[in-house]
Amino acid sequence: MPCSACHEAWPKLNNFGQMFKDNGYQLGNDPRTPPYSQQPAYWPIALRITPNWHRESFDRADIANPATGNTPTEGQLTTHGFDLSGMDILTAGTLAKNISFLLVPSADNAGAFHFESANVRFSNLFKSGWVNVKVGKFELDNIISEKRILTLSNNGGFYRIYHFQPATEIPAMTAAPFTFGLGDNQLGAELSGHSKNDYTRYSAALLSSNDGNVGLPNGHGLRHLPHLQPGL
């Protein structure tokens, strides 16, 4: 199918695309479609990297004196030239009926790799779209995903409210304050569900309290995050 079958305007999903994603990458209406027709030798893989030329200009920027490091004035800073975005290796699909996976090894534009996503989802448990379980590293079920920003700028495009941290959450006597980004992919398990048309949904996640980084945090800390999105 063309991209427009699932996307209203990239990267926004239309209702069909959202239902396809919520159903564990299954159409569920034809024995000729995955997972029924998928051969074990077939693995869908996509590579994504973007060579680009871009120009960015900022007003009222602090301009530092290169000799002293001080910022005695403010002005306009402009950068422009050829560049590369990071590279994503995307593979997602169905392992069996109602068992799907998503694996995204990702590199920044300097070639340093990490795993942006690595999860398995068990869909339609008890034959109900209201009971689905996902385990691994995944994006939280936010209203808007920040993973597909519309610009290639390193200085904008992210949803800052997803990373707001009240001053009361920052420990006073530590060198590295505790952080939790609502837009960051997290490590843990998620219970979620949705109505048939996807307009009403809920999710509750149990996460390691290390903001999606590998390695157990001190005290094996966990964070519980409920979420409810009412019908539109």
Side-chain angles (χ1 to χ4, degrees):
M1 294 185 295
C3 298
S4 57
C6 291
H7 292 274
E8 197 169 294
W10 189 91
K12 184 182 179 185
L13 291 173
N14 57 28
N15 185 250
F16 176 83
Q18 185 66 50
M19 292 175 65
F20 178 69
K21 178 183 177 182
D22 281 342
N23 199 39
Y25 308 118
Q26 301 174 112
L27 294 175
N29 63 350
D30 192 332
R32 294 172 296 177
T33 61
Y36 309 103
S37 64
Q38 184 169 309
Q39 299 179 7
Y42 172 73
W43 289 89
I45 295 177
L47 305 178
R48 180 174 59 204
I49 188 170
T50 309
N52 61 85
W53 182 91
H54 62 116
R55 181 182 185 275
E56 300 181 25
S57 185
F58 301 91
D59 290 327
R60 303 177 65 92
D62 290 333
I63 299 178
N65 186 329
T68 64
N70 297 327
T71 55
T73 185
E74 70 175 29
Q76 184 179 61
L77 290 178
T78 300
T79 59
H80 60 88
F82 294 95
D83 207 348
L84 285 175
S85 69
M87 184 179 73
D88 292 334
I89 304 173
L90 301 99
T91 176
T94 49
L95 298 172
K97 183 179 180 181
N98 291 326
I99 303 177
S100 57
F101 72 97
L102 171 64
L103 177 63
V104 185
S106 181
D108 60 23
N109 53 10
F113 265 90
H114 66 284
F115 288 100
E116 180 177 314
S117 298
N119 60 74
V120 175
R121 187 177 192 264
F122 302 90
S123 304
N124 305 315
L125 299 179
F126 308 109
K127 298 182 179 181
S128 172
W130 289 105
V131 186
N132 309 280
V133 175
K134 182 186 296 183
V135 293
K137 186 172 184 179
F138 51 86
E139 183 179 10
L140 299 175
D141 193 26
N142 294 324
I143 295 176
I144 299 176
S145 169
E146 74 167 19
K147 299 305 178 185
R148 300 291 176 260
I149 60 175
L150 295 176
T151 69
L152 296 175
S153 171
N154 290 325
N155 300 294
F158 296 98
Y159 295 96
R160 301 296 179 184
I161 191 65
Y162 284 173
H163 302 275
F164 171 76
Q165 183 173 339
T168 54
E169 283 195 8
I170 302 177
M173 302 301 292
T174 59
F178 173 80
T179 60
F180 173 77
L182 195 63
D184 294 333
N185 285 12
Q186 302 291 337
L187 276 166
E190 178 191 61
L191 172 67
S192 64
H194 54 87
S195 61
K196 192 171 182 61
N197 61 8
D198 281 328
Y199 288 168
T200 302
R201 59 198 303 112
Y202 80 92
S203 68
L206 188 64
L207 311 169
S208 291
S209 57
N210 54 356
D211 200 32
N213 297 310
V214 296
L216 294 176
N218 291 334
H220 297 188
L222 296 173
R223 172 181 286 264
H224 175 252
L225 189 71
H227 167 69
L228 175 66
Q229 183 178 330
L232 301 178

